[in-house]
Amino acid sequence: MFSKKHSNSTNAINAINAINAINAINAINAKNATNAINAIHFLKTLLKLYNIFMITVKERSGKVHYVEGPREVRAILRRLNILENTVLVVKGNELLTPDRMVEDGATIELIPVISGGMKCRVCNETAVIGIPRHNAAFCKGHFKEFFKKQVLRAIKEHSMFKRDDRVLVCVSGGKDSLVLWDVLTELGYHTEGLYIDLGIEGYSEKSKEMALKSAERLKRRLIIRDFSKECGPIKDVARRGGRTDCSACGTVKRHYFNKVALEGGFDVVATGHNLDDEASRLLGNLLRWQWEYLGRITPVLEESEGLRKKVKPLCRLTEHEIATYAFLRGIEYIVDECPMSKGSTSLLYKEALNRIELKSPGTKHYFYQEYLRSAVKRLSGTVAFSTRRCSICGMPTSEEVCSFCRLTERFSKVS
Ligand code: AMP
Ligand code: FES
Ligand code: ZN
Ligand code: ZN
């Protein structure tokens, strides 16, 4: 499982650890003042002897390495003799940049960007990514071409928007929406960005910075709406309104997406939802037979009275492909998941689908595409439409006051 070099160095570490352990025992016996610290160190050392308190590094090939931490991703790769730009480093669902620190006890996974031995389907050069569901592999240039073709195909297949339409790209600072903005701009569409500051501590600042960097790079306008200034941090608003963080956040985002699009005369609102998002949402709603939501998991929500058209041009691409595209294009984005969404069920469904996908490539794509092709029209009758206008903000709603106004009305700091 290990190369000889690695197993030798692991043995050397273990030998040093063993000496440390003996020293720690001696210290405990001597009952000196540092006994407690030594005891903890001893326990850690013992665990390390059995690779329990080390960083576990898994390769796609099944190889496993153990590295002592805490250590930067860059240093871990150097130690394993792996070139930084040949792999994506992932911890759970998080993509780690080379400067990220990894703690002892953590498990990280290396996903090859340069797939060993695979050749590009188009030019036969060394491939940077394999796409098992298409039974294909591509070099850097042809992967970017493949990626753009998938985006164009989604736009055309679902009649998302036309060449001259003004597209409002909602950007969160994460990889999906920033890649979407990048690719649509590269394809020549008229794009502007929208960032909503929700006042999430330790997260919003950084994500806004990433959105601003993209705007600068693409030379496109970024509209910033500061919800936290208007109503306070989303967490407080959600608590006072008796709502969960994510549901309040969703209500606020939907409201601003539509409001800014209407005010700014945009033809369409684009979000960065990808194949993993859509397939996992479909699975979640199916598991609970939520008929009223099932019919809405579509790449296009058509325009209706007071509501701008909403589209998801990345619906044919997976998170992994989007991360690779971001990497190859040098797009900077916030890697951390939103702290309020930790432990959400959607992550569980994504993981379940990824496990199935690994054994049976193409399942995720088939599950979602077949739903769109044959199931969704049978569900159209289950979707409820808003027929009234909110008495406060005038947005479409099914009740007297819309859910955004009910959530924020009493807490708005500005009129
Ligand atoms: P999420 O609901 O967080 O999975 O985000 C879904 C999509 O909504 C993203 O891909 C973005 O297009 C958009 N989005 C999320 N957060 C924001 C934000 N703070 N500002 C603008 N757009 C956002
Ligand atoms: Fe909405 Fe985190 S961004 S809950
Ligand atoms: Zn090629
Ligand atoms: Zn309202």
Side-chain angles (χ1 to χ4, degrees):
M1 197 134 95
F2 305 113
S3 69
K4 200 163 176 16
K5 191 174 161 206
H6 291 144
S7 75
N8 282 346
S9 54
T10 310
N11 286 345
I13 294 168
N14 286 346
I16 295 164
N17 285 341
I19 295 165
N20 285 343
I22 292 162
N23 286 342
I25 296 169
N26 288 340
I28 290 166
N29 288 341
K31 289 191 173 140
N32 64 27
T34 54
N35 268 0
I37 298 164
N38 280 340
I40 293 166
H41 183 69
F42 169 62
L43 202 65
K44 268 186 161 183
T45 314
L46 256 188
L47 290 172
K48 279 183 182 175
L49 263 178
Y50 294 98
N51 292 331
I52 294 170
F53 208 67
M54 304 277 272
I55 298 168
T56 307
V57 187
K58 291 184 178 169
E59 290 193 43
R60 276 280 154 106
S61 61
K63 254 192 205 169
V64 181
H65 311 273
Y66 298 97
V67 180
E68 220 176 342
R71 209 179 272 251
E72 271 189 3
V73 167
R74 183 174 287 126
I76 297 171
L77 296 179
R78 212 178 299 131
R79 178 146 161 55
L80 299 175
N81 275 333
I82 293 169
L83 287 177
E84 243 174 61
N85 59 358
T86 61
V87 285
L88 294 177
V89 182
V90 177
K91 186 174 152 208
N93 274 324
E94 212 184 331
L95 196 68
L96 304 184
T97 46
D99 59 333
R100 283 289 296 272
M101 194 58 95
V102 183
E103 296 301 322
D104 265 325
T107 299
I108 59 173
E109 201 186 339
L110 306 183
I111 301 165
V113 170
I114 306 245
S115 329
M118 272 203 258
K119 298 284 181 202
C120 172
R121 180 164 84 177
V122 186
C123 68
N124 221 26
E125 287 294 314
T126 307
V128 295
I129 184 170
I131 313 227
R133 77 172 182 288
H134 288 287
N135 203 12
F138 296 106
C139 69
K140 197 170 162 176
H142 286 120
F143 171 66
K144 286 194 220 163
E145 234 170 63
F146 161 83
F147 194 94
K148 286 182 195 165
K149 267 191 200 153
Q150 293 300 319
V151 175
L152 279 175
R153 186 163 166 190
I155 295 171
K156 298 218 165 96
E157 198 167 61
H158 301 288
S159 310
M160 291 184 175
F161 41 84
K162 298 187 288 296
R163 272 280 146 214
D164 298 335
D165 283 346
R166 287 184 61 218
V167 185
L168 180 67
V169 185
C170 303
V171 290
S172 64
K175 65 177 181 320
D176 305 309
S177 49
L178 291 183
V179 161
L180 176 65
W181 199 7
D182 180 274
V183 74
L184 290 183
T185 309
E186 269 253 305
L187 286 168
Y189 287 102
H190 304 286
T191 64
E192 283 177 43
L194 166 65
Y195 175 80
I196 301 157
D197 192 333
L198 294 149
I200 303 169
E201 212 184 312
Y203 183 75
S204 291
E205 274 291 295
K206 207 167 155 199
S207 51
K208 183 161 75 183
E209 190 189 317
M210 295 301 163
L212 279 165
K213 272 191 183 175
S214 269
E216 205 173 301
R217 192 174 51 87
L218 296 170
K219 299 192 172 44
R220 288 289 185 279
R221 180 163 78 119
L222 176 70
I223 302 166
I224 298 180
R225 295 300 295 260
D226 197 335
F227 170 78
S228 63
K229 217 181 221 169
E230 288 175 27
C231 303
I234 185 73
K235 217 173 173 36
D236 296 352
V237 174
R239 189 169 36 80
R240 281 180 251 157
R243 302 266 299 271
T244 65
D245 294 344
C246 283
S247 115
C249 170
T251 297
V252 169
K253 284 193 287 205
R254 278 190 298 276
H255 177 85
Y256 278 98
F257 292 171
N258 196 47
K259 191 165 190 270
V260 174
L262 289 172
E263 284 171 358
F266 289 92
D267 298 288
V268 62
V269 173
T271 54
H273 294 95
N274 58 42
L275 178 58
D276 294 71
D277 294 327
E278 298 305 275
S280 67
R281 218 174 116 206
L282 179 58
L283 178 64
N285 287 340
L286 269 178
L287 289 173
R288 293 194 171 83
W289 291 109
Q290 288 170 310
W291 290 101
E292 70 279 22
Y293 297 126
L294 268 173
R296 290 184 72 85
I297 312 171
T298 49
V300 174
L301 286 175
E302 290 298 346
E303 175 156 5
S304 60
E305 194 54 32
L307 282 178
R308 274 287 176 262
K309 185 174 183 177
K310 283 169 81 182
V311 297
K312 301 165 185 170
L314 297 184
C315 64
R316 298 184 62 85
L317 292 150
T318 65
E319 246 167 44
H320 178 216
E321 286 148 18
I322 294 167
T324 307
Y325 190 82
F327 175 77
L328 294 176
R329 291 273 304 154
I331 297 170
E332 266 190 90
Y333 60 87
I334 184 161
V335 185
D336 308 325
E337 284 285 334
C338 162
M340 301 192 328
S341 72
K342 284 222 168 85
S344 73
T345 47
S346 70
L347 295 181
L348 176 70
Y349 300 142
K350 276 186 187 173
E351 197 184 316
L353 284 168
N354 279 339
R355 282 185 180 212
I356 298 170
E357 185 74 16
L358 213 60
K359 295 268 180 218
S360 172
T363 306
K364 204 190 293 177
H365 181 77
Y366 189 82
F367 177 52
Y368 182 59
Q369 287 303 325
E370 272 306 293
Y371 154 81
L372 291 182
R373 202 186 60 79
S374 62
V376 80
K377 43 183 176 277
R378 300 184 198 185
L379 294 162
S380 55
T382 63
V383 179
F385 288 100
S386 309
T387 47
R388 299 166 71 178
R389 291 297 185 120
C390 170
S391 59
I392 298 175
C393 72
M395 291 283 178
T397 175
S398 50
E399 293 171 63
E400 166 75 19
V401 175
C402 77
S403 72
F404 175 82
C405 290
R406 269 183 279 138
L407 181 70
T408 57
E409 185 190 12
R410 282 170 297 149
F411 313 115
S412 188
K413 288 179 189 160
V414 291
S415 57

